[in-house]
Amino acid sequence: MTTVLSPEIVVVDSLAERCDRCGAAAKLELALAGGGGLAFCGHHANKFADRLAPVAVKATVENGFAWAGQSQPA
Ligand SMILES: [Zn+2]
């Protein structure tokens, strides 16, 4: 049984964070259901989208970046 919760999406003009994986400018910042947060560049945000979306309660996306985790076709 798989239940996928879509995080709340917030769009901002720019993010000050850096990718937790590679240090590039972050395009996505996540608040996790268990507390804490993560930040990812566009490459890593989309690479891990299917794993991140279910555990995030809120996703802050830089304006213009289309995160794979925010579009969940029914
Ligand atoms: Zn990265």
Side-chain angles (χ1 to χ4, degrees):
M1 180 176 174
T2 302
T3 302
V4 177
L5 299 175
S6 296
E8 173 191 0
I9 305 292
V10 177
V11 178
V12 297
D13 284 339
S14 65
L15 287 170
E17 301 295 320
R18 292 276 164 180
C19 178
D20 288 345
R21 290 299 176 111
C22 70
K27 298 292 187 181
L28 175 77
E29 189 177 359
L30 295 174
L32 302 181
L38 293 169
F40 293 100
C41 66
H43 172 77
H44 285 113
N46 285 334
K47 183 175 182 179
F48 301 121
D50 57 349
R51 276 194 274 163
L52 295 171
V55 300
V57 293
K58 180 179 172 183
T60 304
V61 179
E62 187 168 287
N63 191 21
F65 173 60
W67 182 40
Q70 74 184 82
S71 55
Q72 309 230 349

